[in-house]
Amino acid sequence: MPRKAYELFEDRVVREFHRLYYNSGSRTWSDTYWLGTPAQKCPLDLWIYQELLHELRPAVIVETGTAAGGSALFLASICDLLGHGSIVTVDVAPKPGRPTHERITYLTGSSTAPEIRKQVEELVGDSAPVLVILDSNHERDHVLEELRIYAPLVTAGSFVIVEDTNVNGHPVSPDHGPGPMEAVDEFLRSSAEFSVDRRREKFFLTFNPGGYLQRQTPTAGQPR
């Protein structure tokens, strides 16, 4: 099979499986747990997160969109294995029963509210490296505002991960309306500091296509 034809076939297969997996959420991603706590993630993305934490050894991970706290607990568990790192996670509403862990700090409020932004900045301080994961409201304008607020916290070489860029037909939930993918596109048009790292999509299925944004390491003589 010619290379081009194979690539088209591969893309079609991946997109169809992506739709099947996503649309079967009650038995797949929505029924996914970490140590008994709902995580609601694609496990292949969680594996990538584990690899990033091992590579980067972040001092602080900022997460927006806590939900039940499963992803925060997953990140804290990996940090335990590495012996390094803490998690600051933000959600608009408190949720009884979230897991307690000495590495996790829960903040309640909108991720774009000035008071939450201030608290996050204070908790991050001068720590490095810093990794950011955005998974709250999936509307384009909200995600774009989150990027403008939290991307500057990301240290050179680290990442801001924009989750659920797959919605609005990329390739799922075609009726969603402009969402994370559209926010990423607009953000990248005005920020030369970040670029998409497609290596983090190596398992074919990812809920974050085009959403692994790495901050470039300045060359000699450039400001950091």
Side-chain angles (χ1 to χ4, degrees), residues 10-28:
E10 179 183 275
D11 181 67
R12 185 176 67 187
V13 169
V14 170
R15 290 174 70 85
E16 288 303 316
F17 179 70
H18 191 144
R19 292 189 184 101
L20 173 64
Y21 188 93
Y22 187 88
N23 293 333
S24 304
S26 62
R27 62 176 287 185
T28 56

Side-chain angles (χ1 to χ4, degrees), residues 10-210:
E10 179 183 275
D11 181 67
R12 185 176 67 187
V13 169
V14 170
R15 290 174 70 85
E16 288 303 316
F17 179 70
H18 191 144
R19 292 189 184 101
L20 173 64
Y21 188 93
Y22 187 88
N23 293 333
S24 304
S26 62
R27 62 176 287 185
T28 56
W29 59 271
S30 192
D31 193 34
T32 298
Y33 298 81
W34 177 256
L35 300 180
T37 302
Q40 295 191 331
K41 305 286 184 185
C42 174
L44 296 177
D45 285 316
L46 291 179
W47 191 271
I48 294 296
Y49 291 6
Q50 169 270 138
E51 291 188 351
L52 284 174
L53 265 59
H54 180 264
E55 292 173 23
L56 300 170
R57 296 298 208 280
V60 182
I61 303 162
V62 176
E63 175 191 55
T64 66
T66 310
S71 56
L73 182 61
F74 172 82
L75 296 167
S77 299
I78 302 301
C79 288
D80 277 345
L81 292 172
L82 296 172
H84 184 71
S86 63
I87 295 86
V88 178
T89 183
V90 182
D91 203 280
V92 292
K95 190 177 182 67
R98 282 177 178 147
T100 58
H101 193 289
E102 63 182 0
R103 295 187 186 274
I104 301 175
T105 299
Y106 294 105
L107 299 180
T108 302
S110 171
S111 58
T112 58
E115 61 272 18
I116 292 296
R117 175 181 182 174
K118 181 179 179 182
Q119 288 182 70
V120 172
E121 289 175 344
E122 289 175 348
L123 287 166
V124 170
D126 296 326
S127 300
V130 177
L131 174 73
V132 171
I133 302 172
L134 303 180
D135 184 31
S136 59
N137 183 324
H138 296 329
E139 295 177 1
R140 175 189 58 198
D141 292 348
H142 178 83
V143 178
L144 185 58
E145 183 63 17
E146 283 188 320
L147 280 165
R148 290 168 175 162
I149 291 172
Y150 294 108
L153 297 179
V154 175
T155 45
S158 189
F159 288 76
V160 55
I161 302 169
V162 183
E163 294 198 346
D164 297 290
T165 46
N166 59 345
V167 301
N168 200 36
H170 307 295
V172 301
S173 297
D175 298 327
H176 181 280
M181 177 71 81
E182 289 72 26
V184 166
D185 289 344
E186 186 167 343
F187 174 73
L188 291 177
R189 282 196 291 269
S190 61
S191 176
E193 294 181 83
F194 288 85
S195 62
V196 176
D197 187 351
R198 294 289 181 180
R199 297 174 301 168
R200 311 303 169 171
E201 303 175 34
K202 63 184 179 180
F203 296 135
F204 298 104
L205 176 61
T206 174
F207 282 8
N208 316 324

